[in-house]
Amino acid sequence: MDIFFDRKSVRKYTNEEVKDEDLNYILRSAMSAPTAKNTRCYSFIVIKDKTTHAEIAKRHEAAQMILQAPLAILVVGDESLAYNSYFPQDCSAATENILLAAVAKGYGAVWCGVYSNEKRQKALEEFFKLPPNIRAFSLVIIGKSADDTPAKNGWDETKIKYERWQ
Ligand SMILES: Cc1cc2nc3c(=O)[nH]c(=O)nc-3n(C[C@H](O)[C@H](O)[C@H](O)COP(=O)(O)O)c2cc1C
């Protein structure tokens, strides 16, 4: 298993829970991501409650798989703390670490975009009662995968340039 090449967006899950020790590893991985000037301007809302999952599904049309998942993490960023308005990059790095850590621990996950979709952002920021400086950034849904399709092969030599564009 290779966490980079076996990662894929998983949208179907078994009934198995995410173990607390694995959740702890996943959150530690998120907090090991780089942030500009080391502001660590992210926070993570761990959501296991099924009623809350249903409320999220009403507010994010492309996150309906949350209704079958045991766990979601809402990654949020403090834009007042971020250096140079870099909070989206900081939160992206943390989000990707969560995806890869989930694979490392034998789970599947999907990144559901929140920032910069104004409608989703507003709905979730209101629901979670986020303070004015805190932006809802991404929703990561995690569970044991019930999807055995292979990960995509992203390798494409045409994406690589050497020294200059041409
Ligand atoms: C910023 C961002 C937003 C995304 N939003 C959603 C989403 O709302 N719902 C969803 O099912 N997948 C979402 N995805 C997952 C992409 O659809 C997926 O990564 C892409 O199709 C490539 O597939 P793969 O992850 O299996 O390689 C998002 C991914 C990114 C990076």
Side-chain angles (χ1 to χ4, degrees), residues 7-9 11 60 62 65 110-113 120 152:
R7 186 216 60 80
K8 63 182 180 182
S9 292
R11 302 181 176 89
H60 194 315
M65 60 297 252
V110 58
W111 173 337
C112 292
R120 294 176 189 171
K152 298 173 184 64

Side-chain angles (χ1 to χ4, degrees), residues 7-11 60-65 92 95-96 99 109-116 120 137-139 141 147 150-153:
R7 186 216 60 80
K8 63 182 180 182
S9 292
V10 171
R11 302 181 176 89
H60 194 315
E61 76 291 350
Q64 299 305 303
M65 60 297 252
S92 291
T95 301
E96 179 68 6
L99 297 179
V110 58
W111 173 337
C112 292
V114 179
Y115 182 90
S116 51
R120 294 176 189 171
F137 181 76
S138 64
L139 180 73
I141 301 172
D147 169 6
K152 298 173 184 64
N153 176 3

Side-chain angles (χ1 to χ4, degrees), residues 5-164:
F5 305 130
D6 292 340
R7 186 216 60 80
K8 63 182 180 182
S9 292
V10 171
R11 302 181 176 89
K12 288 182 198 152
Y13 317 95
T14 70
N15 290 329
E16 236 178 292
E17 297 296 314
V18 176
K19 289 188 193 136
D20 282 345
E21 70 207 63
D22 295 336
L23 173 58
N24 186 272
Y25 177 91
I26 289 167
L27 292 169
R28 276 197 293 127
S29 85
M31 290 182 230
S32 300
T35 55
K37 280 255 181 175
N38 197 29
T39 58
R40 299 166 55 86
C41 62
Y42 42 54
S43 295
F44 308 95
I45 303 181
V46 175
I47 312 150
K48 295 183 184 174
D49 184 74
K50 292 312 295 175
T51 314
T52 307
H53 288 180
E55 292 300 326
I56 291 171
K58 286 184 206 163
R59 290 163 175 83
H60 194 315
E61 76 291 350
Q64 299 305 303
M65 60 297 252
I66 197 171
L67 297 170
Q68 271 76 53
L71 176 73
I73 299 174
L74 184 70
V75 179
V76 305
D78 184 339
E79 61 180 355
S80 69
L81 190 62
Y83 174 70
N84 245 352
S85 304
Y86 279 139
F87 85 87
Q89 290 90 330
D90 296 342
C91 288
S92 291
T95 301
E96 179 68 6
N97 273 16
I98 291 174
L99 297 179
L100 294 172
V103 177
K105 289 294 173 183
Y107 299 93
V110 58
W111 173 337
C112 292
V114 179
Y115 182 90
S116 51
N117 177 313
E118 270 181 44
K119 192 165 157 248
R120 294 176 189 171
Q121 243 185 278
K122 189 169 183 296
L124 292 173
E125 286 170 6
E126 273 174 18
F127 178 78
F128 285 97
K129 298 183 173 24
L130 302 186
N133 52 313
I134 305 293
R135 298 278 71 80
F137 181 76
S138 64
L139 180 73
V140 188
I141 301 172
I142 306 172
K144 282 279 176 191
S145 175
D147 169 6
D148 53 17
T149 58
K152 298 173 184 64
N153 176 3
W155 176 253
D156 176 355
E157 282 197 36
T158 67
K159 301 283 184 194
I160 308 169
K161 314 288 179 196
Y162 293 95
E163 315 301 346
R164 296 284 189 279

